[in-house]
């Protein structure tokens, strides 16, 4: 329970620090990310940790990627293995490797928070409560790929197609789920409002049930590159909550509040429409694949990350009293999310 209490204390501290100078907030943000890097690098016995360490030990020299047919261990993306080979040149130590990879992701997280977030420390709390334990402490490849995509979405806003696709290609070398980022560039060209968003959400719910039986077949046929075919079988179907998944309604609630506050938020944030489209896209994916636990979670999580920018914007758009209530509600929810994810991990490694 100590990590959960620490998270709660940090959330309260983050709200207190909002009143301080921007330089003070930034210094605390950097210090916190350094601490998180140390925790990521020093973790012991967590799921996927051993796979990354073994892959590191198997990593060849960087030039072997040119002269030889290199095969990766544990995952198919050779880009991440190439990073391991670069780290290995500096120091052949798997623990050092975990520190480096954690530090790289935390650096990208810092760049994203300072680029898009009105209150970076509050945004960090959302990231920690929602994503940190699953990604950076376990699925490190997806963390790196997702944070790259999130940092690059301003290229969508600036209509820089080639530059954005190059970043998608780079992120693809670390995790193939990065292909999820391609449609967003073209979707952003479509202007949407509250009515079209609500209609689309309802239709996604309808289709998720009507097409539930055929979705698995489509995934089997077209997901060889993503290696997601296993996520529409066995326990991934049996354990699915379908439309009873509370995360669906959590994201819908945030999306609708953000949408109906457009008159207030859009004038203050040039990325407002982009963030809304990204989160809307994520929510549609979460709903459509709701009958498959891992498939819906792993695909929707990419742009659900934009939540860490949206919540602080919503807070800033509220009056003083409503903002306090909002922070309390969000805090309770994030603490619950953090506790749930931490408890789940401890169950897996047999410590509870």
């Amino acid at each position: 329970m100590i990590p959960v209490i620490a998270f709660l204390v940090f959330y309260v501290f983050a709200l207190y620090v909002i009143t301080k100078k921007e330089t003070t907030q930034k210094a605390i943000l950097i210090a916190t990310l350094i601490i998180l890097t140390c925790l990521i690098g020093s973790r012991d016995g967590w799921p996927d940790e051993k796979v990354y360490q073994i892959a590191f030990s198997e990593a060849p020299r960087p030039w072997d990627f040119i002269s030889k047919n290199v095969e990766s261990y544990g995952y198919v993306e050779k880009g991440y293995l190439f990073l391991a080979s670069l780290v290995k040149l500096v120091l052949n130590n798997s623990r050092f490797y975990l520190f480096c990879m954690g530090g790289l992701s935390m650096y990208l997280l810092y760049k994203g928070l300072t680029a898009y977030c009105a209150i970076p420390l509050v945004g960090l709390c959302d990231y920690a409560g929602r994503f940190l334990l699953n990604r950076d402490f376990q699925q490190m490849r997806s963390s790196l790929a997702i944070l790259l995509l999130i940092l690059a979405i301003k290229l969508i806003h600036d209509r820089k197609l080639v530059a954005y696709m190059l970043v998608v290609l780079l992120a693809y070398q670390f995790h193939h789920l990065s292909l999820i980022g391609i449609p967003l560039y073209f979707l952003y060209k479509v202007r949407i409002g509250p009515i079209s968003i609500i209609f689309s959400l309802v239709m996604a719910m309808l289709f998720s049930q009507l097409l539930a039986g055929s979705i698995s077949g489509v995934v089997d046929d077209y997901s060889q590159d993503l290696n997601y075919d296993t996520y529409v079988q066995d326990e991934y179907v049996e354990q699915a909550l379908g439309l009873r998944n509370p995360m669906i309604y959590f994201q819908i609630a945030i999306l609708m509040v953000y949408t109906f506050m457009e008159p207030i938020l859009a004038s203050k944030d040039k990325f407002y429409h982009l963030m809304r489209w990204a989160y809307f896209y994520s929510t549609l994916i979460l709903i459509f694949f709701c009958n498959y636990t891992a498939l819906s979670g792993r695909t929707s999580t990419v742009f659900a990350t934009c939540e860490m920018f949206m919540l602080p914007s919503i807070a800033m758009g509220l009056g003083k009293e409503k903002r306090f209530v909002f922070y309390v509600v969000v805090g309770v929810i994030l603490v619950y999310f953090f506790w749930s994810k931490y408890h789940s991990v401890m169950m897996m490694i047999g410590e509870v």
Side-chain angles (χ1 to χ4, degrees), residues 47-330:
D48 287 1
E49 175 193 336
K50 187 60 65 177
V51 174
Y52 284 107
Q53 290 180 319
I54 296 175
F56 174 78
S57 67
E58 297 291 327
R61 296 166 298 182
W63 46 86
D64 288 337
F65 286 83
I66 300 175
S67 60
K68 298 179 181 179
N69 183 23
V70 174
E71 294 187 5
S72 182
Y73 173 88
Y75 45 79
V76 298
E77 294 88 355
K78 293 183 180 179
Y80 208 84
L81 188 67
F82 181 72
L83 288 181
S85 70
L86 293 178
V87 173
K88 206 169 185 177
L89 280 180
V90 179
L91 181 63
N92 188 2
N93 182 282
S94 61
R95 184 60 59 184
F96 176 71
Y97 165 66
L98 295 178
F99 274 100
C100 289
M101 294 299 99
L104 179 57
S105 287
M106 291 302 98
Y107 172 75
L108 292 175
L109 178 59
Y110 168 79
K111 297 295 290 184
L113 286 170
T114 52
Y116 304 116
C117 194
I119 315 173
L121 283 171
V122 173
L124 176 60
C125 288
D126 179 71
Y127 183 87
R130 287 269 274 133
F131 310 109
L132 181 73
L133 298 183
N134 283 353
R135 288 189 198 164
D136 301 280
F137 281 80
Q138 298 180 66
Q139 303 157 7
M140 297 175 72
R141 291 176 298 122
S142 65
S143 175
L144 179 60
I146 290 170
L147 290 172
L148 267 175
L149 288 179
I150 295 300
L151 185 59
I153 59 173
K154 62 182 178 182
L155 298 173
I156 298 178
H157 176 272
D158 296 337
R159 303 297 189 190
K160 296 182 178 180
L161 174 61
V162 175
Y164 178 69
M165 291 305 169
L166 286 175
V167 175
V168 171
L169 179 62
L170 175 61
Y172 176 83
Q173 307 309 312
F174 306 131
H175 204 296
H176 288 181
L177 65 71
S178 303
L179 294 178
I180 295 293
I182 294 177
L184 182 61
Y185 185 92
F186 304 99
L187 289 172
Y188 181 59
K189 294 182 179 181
V190 180
R191 287 302 171 191
I192 55 173
I195 295 177
S196 56
I197 288 176
I198 294 172
F199 177 77
S200 298
L201 293 174
V202 172
M203 293 305 295
M205 290 181 177
L206 180 63
F207 286 137
S208 73
Q209 302 309 300
L210 293 177
L211 303 177
S214 58
I215 288 175
S216 61
V218 174
V219 172
D220 279 339
D221 292 337
Y222 294 99
S223 71
Q224 287 90 346
D225 184 58
L226 291 174
N227 293 308
Y228 278 177
D229 53 311
T230 57
Y231 296 148
V232 291
Q233 302 171 16
D234 304 327
E235 71 270 18
Y236 295 114
V237 177
E238 297 167 3
Q239 298 174 6
L241 296 174
L243 292 177
R244 293 177 291 112
N245 182 0
M247 189 57 66
I248 292 175
Y249 304 98
F250 173 74
Q251 288 201 195
I252 288 177
I254 293 175
L255 177 63
M256 297 317 301
V257 170
Y258 196 69
T259 297
F260 284 105
M261 289 183 68
E262 178 180 350
I264 299 172
L265 303 182
S267 60
K268 299 178 180 179
D269 184 0
K270 67 177 182 179
F271 297 116
Y272 170 83
H273 291 287
L274 176 59
M275 295 302 169
R276 186 174 71 180
W277 240 123
Y279 201 70
F280 176 42
Y281 177 38
S282 163
T283 307
L284 288 176
I285 294 174
L286 180 63
I287 294 171
F288 188 70
F289 292 127
C290 66
N291 296 302
Y292 309 93
T293 54
L295 180 63
S296 62
R298 295 201 177 202
T299 51
S300 66
T301 190
V302 176
F303 291 112
T305 311
C306 291
E307 185 179 294
M308 64 180 175
F309 311 132
M310 296 166 62
L311 291 181
S313 292
I314 292 173
M316 295 298 288
L318 296 173
K320 203 167 186 180
E321 292 183 0
K322 290 182 179 179
R323 188 183 305 168
F324 175 79
V325 174
F326 179 77
Y327 279 141
V328 171
V329 173
V330 168

